[in-house]
Amino acid sequence: MPDSMQVQELSAAWDLAWQTRFCPPADSLDQTVPDAQMQEHRRACPACRERAQWPQVMEGPPVAQDPAGPGSMDAAARPLPGQLWMLNPALGGWGPKQRHFNPPVVLILRVGQHLTNSILVAQTYHDQLLNAGDDIRLAAGRFAQPWNTYTLHRDFFWRPCADFGPQTAQRVLEASQAPPLEAPPWSLLHLFRQMEVELGCFFASQAVCRLLDEHRRLAQEQAEAGQDAVVPPVHPFAGEVPGAAGGAAQVYQELLRLGLELPAGQAGTSAADLYFQALPPREELARAAAGADQGSIVPVVALNLRRGLPAAWQLLEAQVTDFVGGPQVLVGGKIATQAAGEGKWQAQFAWLDANGQMVNSLASFFEVRDNGVASFWAAFPLQAQRTSLAENRLRIRLFSKTGR
């Protein structure tokens, strides 16, 4: 158990991290009369409330000062795996909970593999007091967070800081496949990690919107030019609704035959919506939920399709690692698909809004790695700042095709 000195040091480190991540920069604090957002932040932030003149809060030294060390890079460099980059300061701004979200320093993990201009990153931080057992220490006095990876747009990157090589990127990627450290929910480490995830989601949600717009525009240009699409679909089953061959009525009967539960009065409901409305029997959900943290575990129905109709299903679990409720809902996490066999899985995502209506994702990403663990994210065109994942509003459905 840590002694009182260690507790004080850790508490001071957490306070600094909060100010670093969520207090406005110094050049925005010279207002004679603070605007409404600044006033709300001051009421919520003891550090800013106690200071007559707020100090400049910076993200800490991102690299060693030795010009011959890992921080010496060409300013015209393009992001590559293993490099450390600062994000454009202009991306920062006011967000949920009266916080000013300041761009972090990130480690490049993978470049442009799925969407044009998309770059997968891991967030980093500089205070080693907040480095836990599953963090990856970097040579520039920082550590990478394998449990906090997300996708950004290429234009978000502002200035290179260091280059640790592709081996470091691969090491962090491999570490990101392992379950994150389970810190006690009352601990400062848990609060720090929750804060770091929310920070990353703020910038990832901006990237999702821009990447989606670019994807749609490029696909439309290819279609108008009569070219075969070379852009991968953002949504799985693009142009093909699972079960459409049999119609909604037949899909409804097949789902019931398999033991899934559906609300009554489904006339006029599309086949695609039926899959999201179908739920496992309550006793199955109860068994799956036993002992689980309902703030981070979401049930997943994995369906095998035969001739376009559901032939079998399994209940899996998604571990949610990223969630932000505004400016739009963005959810990310992992699904262990190896338990569902060797099927080639595709995913669809929906969100149950406050009116009980299913809202399809604006954009989504789903990839099954060699170890059978799938990574995913999904963005939805709504806000849910007061909604927690414990309310089970996220719907995930996996599909694989078997036989004819």
Side-chain angles (χ1 to χ4, degrees), residues 266-300:
Q266 296 302 302
T269 303
S270 69
D273 286 344
L274 285 173
Y275 283 106
F276 284 119
Q277 294 177 358
L279 295 174
R282 294 180 183 179
E283 57 270 20
E284 289 277 346
L285 287 175
R287 281 196 294 268
D293 176 5
Q294 291 304 292
S296 62
I297 300 297
V298 173
V300 177

Side-chain angles (χ1 to χ4, degrees), residues 7 62 78 107 135 174 239 254 262 274 301 310 320 326 359 384:
V7 170
R78 300 174 60 187
L107 179 72
D135 292 313
E174 292 174 356
E254 290 299 317
L262 283 158
L274 285 173
V301 177
V320 174
V359 179

Side-chain angles (χ1 to χ4, degrees), residues 86-243:
M86 298 176 69
L87 301 183
N88 190 335
L91 295 170
W94 294 106
K97 303 179 183 179
Q98 296 82 44
R99 297 174 177 179
H100 187 282
F101 287 70
N102 299 311
V105 176
V106 297
L107 179 72
I108 310 297
L109 301 183
R110 200 164 51 200
V111 177
Q113 184 171 2
H114 301 284
L115 294 173
T116 304
N117 292 326
S118 67
I119 296 181
L120 182 68
V121 304
Q123 201 160 289
T124 74
Y125 193 63
H126 66 275
D127 193 335
Q128 297 297 330
L129 284 172
L130 295 168
N131 183 339
D134 54 348
D135 292 313
I136 304 295
R137 188 184 293 268
L138 304 175
R142 305 185 72 84
F143 61 89
Q145 302 167 347
W147 42 270
N148 192 14
T149 64
Y150 46 89
T151 299
L152 294 175
H153 192 284
R154 185 183 299 272
D155 290 347
F156 285 16
F157 296 86
W158 180 52
R159 181 177 296 170
C161 304
D163 189 348
F164 304 113
Q167 298 85 357
T168 297
Q170 185 61 33
R171 182 184 173 199
V172 176
L173 267 175
E174 292 174 356
S176 71
Q177 302 306 303
L181 181 72
E182 294 186 6
W186 44 263
S187 67
L188 290 175
L189 178 60
H190 174 83
L191 295 175
F192 168 71
R193 291 192 164 199
Q194 209 47 41
M195 178 178 70
E196 290 293 276
V197 166
E198 292 179 15
L199 182 79
C201 284
F202 180 84
F203 297 102
S205 63
Q206 297 181 47
V208 165
C209 294
R210 185 164 176 180
L211 290 167
L212 177 61
D213 288 341
E214 292 178 352
H215 179 277
R216 287 174 170 167
R217 186 168 57 251
L218 181 56
Q220 183 176 0
E221 291 172 356
Q222 292 174 349
E224 292 174 350
Q227 302 173 357
D228 293 333
V230 297
V231 181
V234 174
H235 292 286
F237 289 99
E240 175 188 352
V241 177

